[in-house]
Amino acid sequence: MAESRLPASSGFTVIRYRLTNGLELALLPAPETPAVAVNLSFQVGSVDETPGRTGFAHLFEHMMFQGSAQVASGEHMSMIEAAGGNVNAFTSTDRTVYHECVPIGALELVLWLEADRLRSLAVTQENLDAQRDVVTQEKRQRYDNRPYGDLLAELVGQHFGPDHPYGHLPIGSMEDLAAAGLDDVAAFHATWYRPSHAKLVICGGIDAEKTIALVEQHFSDLENASPPPRETITTPTLDGGDLTLTGDVPHPLLYCSWQAPAAGDPDQLALELGLSILSEGHASRLHRRLVRESGLAHEVHGTVLGHLRAPSIASLSARPADGVDTRDLAEAFAHELAVLDSPSEQELDRAKAQYERSWLSELATVEDRAEAAAEAWATWGDPALVNRRLADLAAVTPDDVSRVLANQPSLSQLHYLPKDAS
């Protein structure tokens, strides 16, 4: 068991501790708050699934609330809410996260609940069938019966083939889930849901020594098992190309995308600032040139779909103005990127100010602060790096931004058109 401390003078105090069974703990004491946030991350996401066995990571986001040895189905949520807290979970390509925020007096309840379901989750045929139906309904609501619901999957498919680990969304394939047997699902759970593959972040008005003792009390008897290896991804990516979709949508959309640095790459921050300079707010370059001056678009946006173990996907999107063809808008995007010069100090300062405001807002609550530390831990291997973000932000130069934006292997186009416009 090892413990390390980051001095409070350099930011939030971060205390790390490791149990003998491999569970890693990070504490962020916040004496000023009466609440405590618990963030338990398992280093498994849709990237860890195999062809024909997709959707399992997301399935367990639901299965984990279906009961364990001492907790009946649904009681995890009801007990947290009865204590005055909230609870939720999410699945990404790289992580599955379970998080609660409760009054300080309910911390031991949360740890007891989390340890019990990690020790004895009810992976039964009844629960599998019920949650498989829940996921199917979720997919219908979020993807199948929603305007532009297939856009994200198609965008990802431009850069990663169906057999690539990042080639499918966390929701997975309903055909794969329908074909999955209880043994398949139980094997996935046994492989990934182990203390040596989990990171526990606790943030709030806690006493560090007492909290470590509570974690030892509730988690130390869990089996010590080495985490499964996560092999280097060697599957090639795709060139992207040009794709046109049609559907029952209210207006056309254009997405121009390219492969960008992985989430942990030092250039990721410069990329985010560059997209902000291009597309965030009415003072951004693309809004000024394509919306206000040329009238080609009603709105423009930029975003990054981050991946830890393969290239991320950066994209610029726009809703064309009435009567404007998406291909004319794509040409305008390509032109603006081709003639892109280094941003001015004023542009970069504005982007940094927007980022800093958003970042400080995220750190204002113990729940979001815990997730920020957990994300830093997963991305860079150290939760204390949550304290470095603003220093890294200040260090980005105009040349960094122009270099990262200029490094586009190829610009892919996705044109989403209403059916009557095709």
Side-chain angles (χ1 to χ4, degrees), residues 74-87 101-103 109 113:
E75 281 193 354
H76 187 116
M77 284 189 172
S78 63
M79 293 172 74
I80 295 295
E81 291 171 356
N86 61 70
V87 55
C101 190
V102 295
L109 170 65
L113 287 167

Side-chain angles (χ1 to χ4, degrees), residues 246-309:
T246 59
D248 292 321
V249 295
H251 51 71
L253 288 179
L254 168 72
Y255 275 73
C256 290
S257 60
W258 64 96
Q259 292 178 22
D265 191 285
D267 280 340
Q268 181 72 204
L269 191 52
L271 173 65
E272 293 183 36
L273 291 173
L275 289 174
S276 176
I277 289 167
L278 285 172
S279 62
E280 186 171 345
H282 289 184
S284 65
R285 288 192 181 190
L286 293 180
H287 183 93
R288 187 172 66 249
R289 295 177 184 175
L290 301 185
V291 178
R292 289 163 47 192
E293 295 175 4
S294 68
L296 289 174
H298 285 304
E299 56 187 290
V300 293
H301 303 281
T303 190
V304 181
L305 183 62
H307 300 130
L308 288 178
R309 299 164 57 200

Side-chain angles (χ1 to χ4, degrees), residues 55-67 72-77 88-91 96-98 117 121-123 127-139 141-143 170-171 174 177 185 189 193:
F56 284 22
H58 175 256
L59 175 68
F60 273 100
E61 178 191 324
H62 294 265
M63 292 279 286
M64 287 284 278
F65 293 95
Q66 297 313 298
S73 178
E75 281 193 354
H76 187 116
M77 284 189 172
N88 215 325
F90 67 86
T91 308
T96 307
V97 179
Y98 303 88
R117 66 179 176 180
L121 183 68
V123 185
N127 286 339
L128 170 59
D129 292 341
Q131 296 313 303
R132 186 159 38 196
D133 289 343
V134 170
V135 173
T136 300
Q137 291 299 323
E138 179 182 347
K139 184 173 185 297
Q141 293 173 4
R142 294 179 58 189
Y143 298 96
I171 193 74
M174 298 305 98
L177 285 183
V185 174
H189 179 264
Y193 278 79

Side-chain angles (χ1 to χ4, degrees), residues 25-49:
L25 171 66
L27 304 179
L28 283 75
E32 74 283 358
T33 178
V36 60
V38 176
N39 184 298
L40 182 60
S41 300
F42 292 90
Q43 305 306 298
V44 57
S46 55
V47 68
D48 299 295
E49 298 164 348

Side-chain angles (χ1 to χ4, degrees), residues 31 34 82 86 119 139 146 167 178 180 182 193 195 214 248 263 284 300 309 320 351 355 366 370 379 404 408 416 420:
N86 61 70
R119 180 182 298 109
K139 184 173 185 297
R146 190 174 188 176
L182 183 61
Y193 278 79
L214 284 176
D248 292 321
S284 65
V300 293
R309 299 164 57 200
Y355 191 104
V366 291
T379 304
V404 172
Q408 301 164 28
Y416 208 125
D420 57 7

Side-chain angles (χ1 to χ4, degrees), residues 269-270 273-274 276-277 285 342-355 393-401:
L269 191 52
L273 291 173
S276 176
I277 289 167
R285 288 192 181 190
S342 292
S344 67
E345 291 289 349
Q346 182 180 11
E347 286 179 308
L348 185 55
D349 287 346
R350 178 181 62 84
K352 287 182 177 181
Q354 290 172 328
Y355 191 104
L393 179 72
V396 176
T397 67
D399 287 344
D400 293 330
V401 173

